[in-house]
Amino acid sequence: MFNQKIAFTKIVATGLLIANSHSAPVFAQTKKTTATEKKDPQRFFSKPDLMQIGVYYYPEQWPREQWERDLKNIKKLGFEFTHFAEFAWTYMEPEEGKYDFKWLDDALAIAEKEGLKVILCTPTPTPPAWMGEKYPEIYLVDASGRRREHGNRANQSVSNEKYRAFVEKMVTELGKRYGKNKNIMGWQVDNEPGAPDDFSPSAQKGFQKWLKAKYGTIEKLNAEWLGSFWSIRYNNFEQIAIPNAEIYFEDKLSPHAILDFKRFTADSQAEYLNLQAETLRKYVDPKQWITTNYTNVVYGADPRRTDKMDFATYTMYPVSGRNQLGGQNFRMGHPNKISEANDYYRSINGVTGVMEMQPGQVNWASINPQLLPGTVHMWISQAFGGGCSFTCTYRYRHPLGSSEMYHDGIVGTDGVTLTTGGKEFVQSIEDMKLLRKEYNPKAVLPADLAKRKTGFLWSHENLWDLENQKQTEFWSTWRHRNTYTSAVKSTAAPMDFITEEDDFSAYPFIVAPAYQLIDQKLVDKWTKYVENGGNLILSCRTGQKDKNGHFFEAKWSAPIVPLIGADVDFFDMLVADVNGTINAGSSTYKWNTWADVLEPKPGTEVLATYADQFYKGKAAAITRKLGKGTVTYIGAESKDGDLERQVVRSVYERAKVTIDDLPKGVFVEWRDGFYTGVNYTNEAIQLPIPQGSKILVGQNPLQPAQAIIWK
């Protein structure tokens, strides 16, 4: 079950940043960068290079006399770049105001000598001990009022003015010293920004400031938060507190207040990252790009709000102790992770990369098994197929101690012997040399793929609101998203994650699952899209609330009723030991989590009906023609996603679009004239590769944990 305590506190943490952030705007997501908004980030990467491959190295963690050997070996293995310094603040500024970059100068010089480009990082996730000793207010405060201490990472309060001042000074020093270094290809700001919980006094002030900027008057806030309920109205903004865990769990806070906390958190994180990017931009060469590395699944932070960088990248650790498809799949990882991350992060600015790719066993998962041979190579191939401009792995050397000492590297504990994952990285490097020779700059997306191109409408605000009011312990917004991305990917359709502001007409198909927060502007845009020939797929919970999280003073989901051609009579959910049945054609499906019970209007076709419960015979999924297009509504979440898969695929088929039929866990992507297939299942799969195709990597049938690339 979703942890309400965590959910709420996440809201607060990231957010702090915003309010106290120097002269930066309060609402980061409403601002556009002026320096790079009209420049394509593809300019940083040569298209014929396809995908560069690199590896993390930490000079400060190893004896100085080993640096040259290690960097020489990195180059010898074929890696094109390395990655320095995101955790090295104590070495850069051993005492307040006293900087030491000699060690970094030396490491950079060796990298350049060996022909390795460098991604240089800001060390902001790890403040040095002296800072906390002298200025303890820089630390996070948890929900119980306990202050974090030195000894870990991401322990700082990013809303604290003193800490932000130190950050700005450090980033300035780095920019001045290395901004014109031609061997530095780009910059990573911070590391895995995740909006940690923060209950510090600076966070408290930050949230109040954020609310005042948004609402202007306390009367307006009281109206939007329904202050009339439980007499929770406020007389002024200074009365509004970041509630601790005890207050939160005593009874549910206003969901509208919680949604604002989430927005504040995301805005604050964005402000903090934007501050670093804008500081660097003053000093760095225009040829050096600026990014940060989000985790593949981001909850508290909203990457689209960080708009002062050139593009966003992600970290990727697919194996974490779960067994999504049974059998040996636990050794291959969650099949959706890389696919979704590729499509999500690439869609933000048109360019992305994997900043950290799992090299083997890790130390932090619930279970840390050996990977199935071929798995790392499969992951790298999938990153390539998904359009990544580079893939980097954490880390070159297996650590000998500290918290991540069980985390695999490219070489083992002796510092020189390749691990299994290391060998597969080298294999991928050789693949890339071959693919570069086969690159055709004139390649364009094939017509059959263009006809099934799909936009996946996604909003973090929907995520936050859905997770705050699940209504059933079995609801998971991420799982619901996975179900629909899997259904789309079963067709081998190219997919972009899009926003409400994007051009819907660029996509013959749009999927918007559980899109709960709507307004009339969006409904009108959906309607026009369908009338003009688009195919829209919606799912349960869509359109229940307005953008402030309020119900409409009307029947359920009233604004979308004219669009979908049906009323939502009511919704239901079942207990753990009861499963409902749905009939669709000759097939039956089980459900448990959520069911919108639909009453279709004349002209609306019923695709599936409930087979039991007191609403037996009522519609569970519907479709209708509207103008030149279609709109389909899937009201139930099935147990295994098979209902959704069938209905989604039927939308493409009814549109007379050619689609593939890929099993769960099998993905095929197209980029730059190359097709890439990967197999997360436990069986060999015969892919539909056209006769006369040239297989460049791998073989067909495609074995488990293997990749194939052809043109």
Side-chain angles (χ1 to χ4, degrees):
M1 183 178 180
F2 179 68
N3 189 317
Q4 298 285 359
K5 174 180 176 182
I6 293 174
F8 176 72
T9 55
K10 277 196 174 198
I11 315 171
V12 198
T14 339
L16 323 171
L17 315 174
I18 246 183
N20 298 308
S21 181
H22 295 264
S23 59
V26 176
F27 297 101
Q29 78 275 23
T30 64
K31 303 293 183 179
K32 296 292 183 182
T33 178
T34 56
T36 60
E37 62 182 353
K38 296 182 180 180
K39 296 181 180 179
D40 183 1
Q42 183 61 57
R43 71 188 187 277
F44 296 113
F45 303 96
S46 170
K47 289 286 285 185
D49 284 346
L50 297 175
M51 185 176 77
Q52 301 175 58
I53 299 177
V55 61
Y56 281 48
Y57 187 69
Y58 293 95
E60 73 275 16
Q61 296 180 14
W62 302 103
R64 172 65 175 81
E65 58 270 20
Q66 295 180 356
W67 294 1
E68 191 155 0
R69 179 202 70 181
D70 291 344
L71 291 167
K72 185 185 293 290
N73 285 342
I74 289 172
K75 179 63 178 180
K76 189 176 179 180
L77 291 170
F79 289 99
E80 296 166 281
F81 65 90
T82 187
H83 177 287
F84 287 168
E86 85 250 71
F87 301 134
W89 197 329
T90 188
Y91 292 93
M92 296 178 181
E93 192 178 6
E95 299 178 45
E96 182 177 355
K98 295 182 180 180
Y99 299 99
D100 180 9
F101 296 108
K102 177 63 168 61
W103 68 275
L104 186 54
D105 292 343
D106 291 347
L108 287 165
I110 296 171
E112 184 173 9
K113 174 187 162 187
E114 299 302 333
L116 289 167
K117 293 288 187 179
V118 176
I119 297 174
L120 194 58
C121 307
T122 64
T124 52
T126 52
W130 60 259
M131 192 184 298
E133 181 183 29
K134 193 172 181 179
Y135 309 100
E137 66 270 25
I138 69 150
Y139 289 126
L140 281 165
V141 175
D142 70 15
S144 299
R146 298 170 300 188
R147 191 180 67 211
R148 291 274 188 90
E149 300 295 343
H150 186 72
N152 206 324
R153 59 177 174 165
N155 56 357
Q156 75 280 10
S157 169
V158 293
S159 67
N160 180 263
E161 292 183 4
K162 191 69 180 179
Y163 178 70
R164 288 198 314 274
F166 278 122
V167 166
E168 192 166 10
K169 288 178 182 178
M170 173 54 69
V171 174
T172 297
E173 291 293 327
L174 286 168
K176 286 181 176 179
R177 192 173 188 91
Y178 302 113
K180 304 304 179 185
N181 186 319
K182 297 187 182 304
N183 202 53
I184 293 174
M185 59 190 290
W187 295 78
Q188 175 191 301
V189 169
D190 209 78
N191 176 71
E192 297 181 358
D197 305 339
D198 188 359
F199 297 82
S200 66
S202 49
Q204 176 81 28
K205 293 178 182 177
F207 184 55
Q208 293 170 350
K209 184 177 179 179
W210 186 95
L211 291 170
K212 191 171 184 178
K214 178 176 182 178
Y215 291 107
T217 67
I218 197 66
E219 289 78 13
K220 187 174 181 181
L221 179 143
N222 283 327
E224 292 297 332
W225 285 14
L226 293 185
S228 58
F229 194 79
W230 287 346
S231 192
I232 60 173
R233 64 181 298 277
Y234 301 94
N235 295 326
N236 52 67
F237 289 100
E238 288 70 30
Q239 291 179 336
I240 301 172
I242 298 175
N244 60 36
E246 184 178 350
I247 295 174
Y248 184 70
F249 272 104
E250 184 177 343
D251 216 330
K252 251 188 180 316
L253 291 171
S254 164
H256 321 298
I258 293 173
L259 183 57
D260 270 343
F261 270 117
K262 295 291 187 184
R263 291 163 169 156
F264 164 67
T265 300
D267 282 351
S268 299
Q269 180 74 83
E271 289 283 340
Y272 174 65
L273 298 173
N274 282 342
L275 173 65
Q276 293 195 47
E278 291 183 300
T279 302
L280 279 175
R281 194 85 62 191
K282 297 175 184 176
Y283 307 104
V284 305
D285 190 292
K287 295 180 181 179
Q288 295 179 352
W289 43 259
I290 301 173
T291 189
T292 191
N293 60 326
Y294 293 99
T295 55
N296 68 288
V297 173
V298 183
Y299 180 77
D302 181 356
R304 289 186 180 272
R305 299 180 188 226
T306 309
D307 56 4
K308 304 301 182 186
M309 299 186 191
D310 295 296
F311 52 88
T313 66
Y314 66 91
T315 65
M316 177 54 61
Y317 294 87
V319 170
S320 56
R322 305 295 178 90
N323 201 10
Q324 192 76 10
L325 299 178
Q328 293 291 299
N329 175 254
F330 73 93
R331 300 189 186 278
M332 300 177 247
H334 195 299
N336 290 80
K337 280 189 174 182
I338 295 176
S339 174
E340 285 195 12
N342 285 339
D343 291 341
Y344 180 76
Y345 287 101
R346 187 195 64 247
S347 300
I348 295 175
N349 296 105
V351 165
T352 193
V354 188
M355 194 64 79
E356 296 180 32
M357 177 67 82
Q358 183 175 346
Q361 285 178 291
V362 295
N363 65 289
W364 47 264
S366 58
I367 301 169
N368 297 284
Q370 283 288 333
L371 308 183
L372 203 65
T375 296
V376 171
H377 175 258
M378 176 180 71
W379 292 339
I380 301 169
S381 301
Q382 192 176 16
F384 165 75
C388 287
S389 294
F390 65 84
T391 293
C392 191
T393 185
Y394 177 91
R395 48 191 283 162
Y396 177 64
R397 292 188 62 172
H398 193 129
L400 302 182
S402 200
S403 67
E404 293 185 333
M405 61 190 296
Y406 278 99
H407 195 298
D408 237 347
I410 295 299
V411 296
T413 52
D414 65 358
V416 293
T417 303
L418 281 175
T419 61
T420 299
K423 293 175 182 177
E424 293 181 20
F425 259 92
V426 172
Q427 180 187 354
S428 296
I429 290 169
E430 294 303 310
D431 290 350
M432 210 51 53
K433 293 177 182 177
L434 172 63
L435 296 176
R436 288 168 181 172
K437 293 178 182 178
E438 297 283 341
Y439 171 69
N440 178 7
K442 296 181 180 180
V444 295
L445 184 68
D448 64 323
L449 294 180
K451 290 178 181 178
R452 58 183 115 154
K453 190 174 183 180
T454 302
F456 197 100
L457 190 63
W458 175 257
S459 159
H460 264 62
E461 299 205 358
N462 278 298
L463 167 69
W464 299 327
D465 198 62
L466 287 162
E467 291 294 298
N468 181 54
Q469 292 187 306
K470 293 187 170 193
Q471 296 301 109
T472 166
E473 63 181 300
F474 305 122
W475 177 266
S476 167
T477 307
W478 292 116
R479 184 189 64 232
H480 197 76
R481 185 174 100 164
N482 292 160
T483 294
Y484 282 89
T485 60
S486 295
V488 172
K489 288 298 188 179
S490 77
T491 72
M495 188 176 77
D496 294 330
F497 278 79
I498 61 174
T499 71
E500 295 173 30
E501 287 70 42
D502 286 321
D503 179 10
F504 288 1
S505 67
Y507 302 93
F509 301 87
I510 288 179
V511 181
Y515 211 87
Q516 184 158 265
L517 306 179
I518 64 167
D519 56 18
Q520 193 58 47
K521 180 181 177 182
L522 176 60
V523 176
D524 290 344
K525 190 171 181 177
W526 278 341
T527 303
K528 183 179 179 181
Y529 165 75
V530 174
E531 290 175 341
N532 289 338
N535 299 281
L536 177 66
I537 303 171
L538 306 174
S539 82
C540 61
R541 308 191 71 161
T542 295
Q544 279 200 341
K545 301 180 182 179
D546 66 20
K547 292 290 188 177
N548 291 322
H550 302 160
F551 289 139
F552 298 98
E553 194 173 4
K555 293 182 178 181
W556 290 116
S557 305
I560 67 169
V561 167
L563 172 64
I564 67 174
D567 288 311
V568 181
D569 283 352
F570 54 87
F571 52 88
D572 195 18
M573 56 228 47
L574 305 178
V575 295
D577 60 345
V578 176
N579 289 320
T581 302
I582 293 173
N583 293 329
S586 59
S587 301
T588 60
Y589 306 90
K590 297 297 182 182
W591 75 275
N592 171 271
T593 300
W594 192 282
D596 282 347
V597 179
L598 308 171
E599 186 65 46
K601 298 180 180 298
T604 299
E605 180 183 355
V606 176
L607 300 175
T609 58
Y610 297 104
D612 50 31
Q613 309 305 315
F614 62 87
Y615 38 86
K616 179 180 179 180
K618 291 284 190 178
I622 55 176
T623 191
R624 70 181 291 236
K625 293 182 179 179
L626 181 63
K628 300 177 181 178
T630 66
V631 56
T632 302
Y633 191 94
I634 306 170
E637 179 181 279
S638 68
K639 294 282 287 187
D640 53 13
D642 285 349
L643 169 68
E644 294 88 330
R645 177 186 172 99
Q646 176 183 318
V647 175
V648 167
R649 291 179 59 82
S650 74
V651 175
Y652 294 87
E653 291 167 345
R654 288 169 175 243
K656 298 188 171 30
V657 171
T658 302
I659 57 175
D660 291 351
D661 187 12
L662 302 176
K664 290 181 181 178
V666 176
F667 299 87
V668 173
E669 303 282 3
W670 183 95
R671 73 163 288 177
D672 296 312
F674 301 98
Y675 291 87
T676 301
V678 297
N679 183 7
Y680 286 83
T681 77
N682 294 284
E683 306 292 335
I685 301 295
Q686 184 75 36
L687 291 181
I689 299 177
Q691 190 172 5
S693 299
K694 184 178 182 180
I695 295 177
L696 302 167
V697 175
Q699 53 187 326
N700 202 24
L702 185 61
Q703 299 297 319
Q706 299 296 307
I708 186 170
I709 302 175
W710 74 94
K711 61 179 292 188

